[in-house]
Amino acid sequence: MEDEDEMLNNKTILITGGTGSFGKQFVKTILARYQPKKVIIYSRDELKQYEMAQTFNAPQMRYFIGDVRDQSRLKQAMDGVDYVIHAAALKHVPVAEYNPMECIKTNIYGAENVIQAALAAGVERVIALSTDKAANPINLYGATKLASDKLFVAANNMVGTRPTRFAVVRYGNVVGSRGSVIPFFQKLLAEGCAELPLTDERMTRFWITLQQGVEFVIKNFERMHGGEIFIPKIPSATVTALAEAMAPGMPRKIIGIRPGEKLHEIMCPFDDSHLTLEFDDHFVIKPSISFAVPADFALNRREEVGVPVKEGFEYHSGTNPHFLSVAEIRTLIAAGSAE
């Protein structure tokens, strides 16, 4: 087992879609905690890269313009890279419903390009970021992320003698990330709205802070054998409690569920219960296929031990044993705002 305090020292790390909320928080964390050799931000928006470079301008930082749809550019960018985090995606649910092929090109073909580039470059470890919407998907975004998850898991059978290993991290709504309901509500409140629009009063979601997401990814670089889907144990909240936390007593208007939305989200599906292991602070969904080099997924590389869940287990935002109170939601939002 590697020492967590030294794991990323002298390593070259590439983050696809690295100008997003996750990429910024990850870079902030690893620059403060480790001495990486290089940190490469790979993304297609030059303005976001320019703006990020004003803040993150340490000598280790590199900024590569490129699209995950472009395999040859990915191969160039991954030359000499040790670790990859694949965070690039088209992730806005209604936009994906209206532009399905664009979502497929980035989220599915892009995943395959990341895999092929990582194999060609001999990258050590790759973690792809997934979403609760990939479990029992009903929208196109979730369906493309499920396909992406399957590609990254199966890629472990393509490694041959290479050192490369692939794993997936799946979690729920991120406090404060672009596209989250929290900054949307904050914007409306700042503009002096008289009521908050709610899709459905019964709606629940899993919640995690950016920093919790970053810590979870770093730990899973240590834990992974290759082929796992890692899922953190995180709390749920109702949309009504969220509205009450942000605007106590304010009237609410029910506007109905948007295209492709669910009332509740799932991270460990019922149909995967026979593959699911429970650890102290997370779950692992084992691969449904067998690999040429078998691994004991119940004992990870941090020497943590997992046990099989009961048949029919489902990790569901509506039946989650941990629901946030209004006061806890306020604390979570404050923590997210401070990041």
Side-chain angles (χ1 to χ4, degrees):
M1 186 176 77
E2 291 166 294
D3 185 339
E4 183 182 349
D5 295 328
E6 298 179 2
M7 184 186 60
L8 298 179
N9 287 350
N10 205 34
K11 298 285 187 182
T12 298
I13 305 141
L14 180 143
I15 311 161
T16 70
T19 57
S21 310
F22 177 90
K24 289 176 184 172
Q25 193 68 22
F26 182 84
V27 169
K28 179 181 173 183
T29 301
I30 61 169
L31 289 179
R33 189 180 301 173
Y34 302 101
Q35 288 81 48
K37 185 177 179 182
K38 278 191 284 189
V39 180
I40 301 168
I41 300 300
Y42 182 94
S43 69
R44 63 186 184 177
D45 189 321
E46 64 174 336
L47 176 59
K48 287 178 188 169
Q49 286 199 8
Y50 172 79
E51 290 171 346
M52 185 173 175
Q54 306 311 298
T55 304
F56 299 103
N57 55 9
Q60 303 101 312
M61 295 301 299
R62 303 288 187 277
Y63 292 89
F64 280 41
I65 295 289
D67 197 314
V68 292
R69 299 183 187 187
D70 184 345
Q71 190 180 128
S72 63
R73 178 62 171 155
L74 273 169
K75 285 178 178 174
Q76 272 187 325
M78 284 192 202
D79 186 32
V81 167
D82 300 297
Y83 290 178
V84 168
I85 299 172
H86 178 47
L90 290 180
K91 51 176 70 86
H92 196 276
V93 170
V95 170
E97 296 297 300
Y98 283 103
N99 302 275
M101 272 315 302
E102 297 309 301
C103 190
I104 288 166
K105 286 174 191 171
T106 294
N107 296 357
I108 300 178
Y109 299 162
E112 175 64 9
N113 289 337
V114 168
I115 289 164
Q116 294 297 340
L119 289 170
V123 170
E124 218 176 301
R125 296 177 210 174
V126 180
I127 285 182
L129 301 190
S130 183
T131 166
D132 48 13
K133 293 171 179 62
N136 295 355
I138 64 159
N139 54 58
L140 186 84
Y141 167 57
T144 61
K145 292 302 284 184
L146 173 61
S148 169
D149 293 354
K150 295 287 188 184
L151 285 168
F152 278 100
V153 168
N156 291 281
N157 258 347
M158 298 160 57
V159 297
T161 58
R162 301 177 189 90
T164 315
R165 296 294 179 269
F166 301 87
V168 174
V169 164
R170 176 184 292 170
Y171 48 68
N173 284 25
V174 178
V175 178
S177 70
R178 291 197 302 265
S180 158
V181 69
I182 291 173
F184 174 63
F185 279 178
Q186 287 170 332
K187 177 175 177 287
L188 293 179
L189 292 168
E191 291 169 354
C193 67
E195 58 185 12
L196 281 182
L198 301 190
T199 48
D200 191 296
E201 289 182 329
R202 299 166 293 170
M203 187 171 280
T204 64
R205 288 293 182 266
F206 291 105
W207 287 96
I208 191 170
T209 67
L210 267 175
Q211 188 59 37
Q212 287 169 336
V214 167
E215 300 289 349
F216 192 57
V217 168
I218 291 171
K219 279 195 169 74
N220 293 328
F221 271 126
E222 294 179 79
R223 288 175 171 138
M224 62 183 279
H225 294 291
E228 305 95 328
I229 298 176
F230 292 99
I231 294 142
K233 291 182 181 177
I234 52 176
S236 291
T238 63
V239 70
T240 50
L242 185 67
E244 183 62 23
M246 297 184 70
M250 179 174 281
R252 300 158 193 166
K253 179 184 179 185
I254 305 302
I255 59 172
I257 291 178
R258 299 181 303 167
E261 262 191 331
K262 287 182 182 179
L263 274 181
H264 309 286
E265 293 291 358
I266 293 168
M267 288 206 284
C268 300
F270 172 96
D271 293 310
D272 280 340
S273 63
H274 64 295
L275 299 169
T276 304
L277 298 166
E278 182 173 8
F279 292 77
D280 282 347
D281 63 352
H282 68 286
F283 298 99
V284 164
I285 300 177
K286 298 185 293 183
S288 59
I289 56 173
S290 57
F291 295 149
V293 180
D296 180 5
F297 294 106
L299 179 67
N300 66 32
R301 294 171 74 249
R302 282 173 60 96
E303 297 176 8
E304 299 164 333
V305 178
V307 295
V309 299
K310 291 180 180 176
E311 187 177 345
F313 170 82
E314 189 170 61
Y315 192 36
H316 182 292
S317 66
T319 58
N320 188 357
H322 185 188
F323 262 81
L324 294 170
S325 67
V326 168
E328 287 172 327
I329 292 170
R330 289 184 183 134
T331 302
L332 191 76
I333 292 171
S337 300
E339 291 174 349

